[in-house]
Amino acid sequence: MRFPENFLWGVSTSSYQIEGGAPDDGRGRSIWDTYCATPGKVANGDTGEVACDHYHRYPEDLDLMRELGAKVYRFSIMWPRVLPEGVGRINDKGLDFYERIVDGVLERGMRAWPCLYHWDLPQALQDRGGWTNRDIASWFTDYTALIARRLGDRVENWVTFNEPSVSAWVGHEEGRHAPGLTDPRAAVRAAHHLNLAHGRAVAVLRELSPRAGVGTVIPIHKARPLPQFQERDAHLVPLFEDKWNGVFLDPIYHGRYPASLEARFAEHVRDGDLAEIHRPIDFVGVNQYFPSYIQQCANGAWPFQHADPPLYFRRTEMNWAIDGHAFYEALMFVKARYGNPPVHVTENGGAFIDVAGADGRVDDQDRIAYYREYLIGLQRAISEGADVRGFMPWSLLDNFEWARGYAKRFGLVHVDYQTQKRTPKASFHFMRKVIAENALPGI
Ligand code: IFM
């Protein structure tokens, strides 16, 4: 059960989920600050104001990554920390912070993979329409150029977006994430602008950071009808996969939107847009956590809706079904639909109830079992030819899990939010062994 030679083990985090440091050093407000301040939106009224205080404690966190054996660190840059109004005035102290991160990563012998957008849009740009305003493609390009000029000589790979599908569909259609819209047409418009911004950013990064690679990160959803409605709902699977996967990867790899969705996108697409999006990238980041069960929906914007997975699955604390086979299927989907591109798994993991023992240790055997199952799925995909080159668990630290707040813990490292004490869990030691041996132990 060995992984390929030179398999790239890493670790992923995101800015709003760990940094905190909200009022520090001139950072501007993001749509998540606003969303958290809106009563009833986030569990327990939690916010990312302090989070894991990574803004001040990053050296300790980078040390933990090194101890884990991570070779790559994927982190994200908080746009309003460097451009408080989204455009125009630059906050040098914000840029300095990311410079310290990149240098700290390199000093510890790791490689830096910054992601330019993990959902924390400057509120000032949301006030101008955010992702529904076509001008955002230029705003994002200017922001990208600023970051590339400052960090581009030390970055190994850029990630343009983390899960643009979630920004579009969950943020603009389902309203469960910032900016909290429930407008299906606006969501389609946002999706197109996210794609356009990606395509333009690729061009800028190629010019200003020519030695670095560029990719994007998509959560791949393989859909399944509920077993009892297999016959009735099987026809919904391709459309669901077009919505979640195809909308964001077909334009990049095939230069067009999925045929099933061209009509919905037509009013937002201008001549030349698809050519801009259809620029070659070096890898696709795949995030994958659970199988997506769907069922028919008679009166929504789409003919399907999410369904509760069958009861025979074990579940994580997010109520997500645990199924390493779904992970395998997602990787094989990317292989088949996009011509076997280089893939890095940029997120995978589970939230579990982690109880610290009297000695402070967290013996998270559920999480270890989860990773065992998913890493077996990964090995199967690789053995069947999927070009998967790396794996990053989500996440290094327990952190702010968006609308679910701090109650859902995904970390390999436990964070006591009162004291900010970090304690590596049993899963941290498990993953360290996997990385050190480049193999699944004990199989
Ligand atoms: O915490 C999130 C992350 O920000 C994006 N991908 C899924 C994770 C778990 O929900």
Side-chain angles (χ1 to χ4, degrees):
M1 300 302 277
R2 292 189 62 75
F3 290 91
E5 199 81 6
N6 299 324
F7 196 70
L8 208 51
W9 297 96
V11 73
S12 275
T13 67
S14 97
S15 43
Y16 192 77
Q17 294 181 273
I18 63 167
E19 282 181 9
D24 290 36
D25 294 340
R27 115 149 160 66
R29 288 179 65 76
S30 80
I31 54 175
W32 271 94
D33 293 307
T34 308
Y35 196 75
C36 291
T38 311
K41 293 295 188 192
V42 175
N44 194 37
D46 289 345
T47 78
E49 300 263 303
V50 177
C52 307
D53 196 28
H54 177 74
Y55 188 72
H56 301 107
R57 294 168 195 262
Y58 70 90
E60 182 183 352
D61 296 337
L62 296 180
D63 286 347
L64 282 164
M65 288 170 212
R66 184 175 49 188
E67 198 184 322
L68 180 69
K71 298 173 182 73
V72 175
Y73 179 33
R74 182 181 76 111
F75 59 98
S76 75
I77 293 176
M78 188 183 284
W79 186 346
R81 195 183 285 290
V82 297
L83 288 166
E85 287 87 35
V87 290
R89 186 173 64 87
I90 296 167
N91 179 29
D92 281 315
K93 289 188 171 165
L95 277 174
D96 291 347
F97 171 64
Y98 293 110
E99 190 134 36
R100 291 197 296 277
I101 296 280
V102 170
D103 289 343
V105 167
L106 300 185
E107 277 158 21
R108 287 165 179 80
M110 299 182 292
R111 313 170 191 185
W113 290 31
C115 169
L116 292 163
Y117 188 75
H118 198 127
W119 309 349
D120 34 18
L121 184 73
Q123 180 59 41
L125 297 185
Q126 185 60 38
D127 297 341
R128 297 162 74 180
W131 290 108
T132 67
N133 182 339
R134 190 179 162 92
D135 290 344
I136 200 163
S138 312
W139 303 333
F140 187 74
T141 312
D142 293 347
Y143 156 64
T144 300
L146 173 72
I147 303 297
R149 283 200 181 93
R150 188 72 180 254
L151 305 179
D153 55 335
R154 283 156 286 167
V155 161
E156 183 182 64
N157 276 323
W158 295 97
V159 173
T160 54
F161 283 87
N162 182 77
E163 304 184 1
S165 46
V166 173
S167 293
W169 307 135
V170 184
H172 293 76
E173 182 181 87
E174 300 178 21
R176 290 187 291 114
H177 274 193
L181 302 190
T182 49
D183 178 346
R185 190 165 156 234
V188 172
R189 193 168 170 76
H192 180 60
H193 294 156
L194 284 154
N195 285 337
L196 190 58
H198 159 83
R200 290 192 185 166
V202 172
V204 167
L205 293 168
R206 296 287 186 216
E207 191 193 327
L208 298 177
S209 182
R211 289 204 311 271
V214 183
T216 187
V217 166
I218 309 295
I220 298 297
H221 290 286
K222 276 295 294 159
R224 296 176 185 169
L226 290 171
Q228 64 271 36
F229 297 130
Q230 172 70 33
E231 226 166 276
R232 187 193 75 185
D233 292 348
H235 71 283
L236 299 170
V237 167
L239 184 63
F240 181 91
E241 293 177 355
D242 283 351
K243 176 186 179 189
W244 280 93
N245 312 325
V247 161
F248 301 91
L249 287 177
D250 285 16
I252 293 177
Y253 285 106
H254 302 321
R256 54 181 144 70
Y257 281 107
S260 64
L261 294 173
E262 268 173 352
R264 283 191 201 230
F265 276 77
E267 63 169 319
H268 310 296
V269 179
R270 294 199 192 155
D271 283 352
D273 285 2
L274 286 164
E276 288 201 85
I277 303 168
H278 186 38
R279 293 196 161 104
I281 56 174
D282 301 297
F283 66 95
V284 58
V286 168
N287 292 356
Q288 221 289 325
Y289 291 88
F290 54 85
S292 296
Y293 280 87
I294 59 171
Q295 61 187 331
Q296 75 173 24
C297 169
N299 46 14
W302 300 87
F304 46 71
Q305 59 187 325
H306 298 288
D308 209 24
L311 291 174
Y312 47 76
F313 284 108
R314 284 173 298 121
R315 294 162 194 241
T316 71
E317 274 300 291
M318 299 289 280
N319 202 27
W320 294 346
I322 299 175
D323 185 5
H325 188 68
F327 185 32
Y328 156 81
E329 286 179 332
L331 295 168
M332 298 312 278
F333 171 91
V334 172
K335 174 177 188 275
R337 185 150 166 165
Y338 301 111
N340 204 15
V343 164
H344 284 271
V345 176
T346 35
E347 284 183 27
N348 171 255
F352 296 95
I353 297 179
D354 293 326
V355 184
D359 54 0
R361 301 220 315 221
V362 180
D363 190 20
D364 56 340
Q365 293 301 323
D366 287 344
R367 186 170 289 102
I368 291 174
Y370 178 102
Y371 277 125
R372 269 193 190 282
E373 179 168 339
Y374 278 69
L375 289 174
I376 289 170
L378 169 61
Q379 290 204 330
R380 180 170 172 204
I382 293 173
S383 73
E384 292 180 22
D387 188 5
V388 186
R389 300 187 179 183
F391 180 91
M392 304 180 194
W394 181 268
S395 184
L396 178 75
L397 305 171
D398 291 337
N399 59 53
F400 175 74
E401 178 52 27
W402 308 110
R404 313 294 287 274
Y406 292 100
K408 306 295 178 225
R409 293 177 176 269
F410 277 89
L412 298 177
V413 175
H414 179 270
V415 176
D416 178 330
Y417 294 113
Q418 303 305 317
T419 61
Q420 293 294 349
K421 183 172 166 19
R422 275 82 163 131
T423 308
K425 303 176 190 175
S427 59
F428 178 98
H429 301 294
F430 167 80
M431 198 55 77
R432 188 170 62 172
K433 197 162 188 307
V434 170
I435 295 174
E437 294 179 4
N438 199 33
L440 262 177
I443 293 197

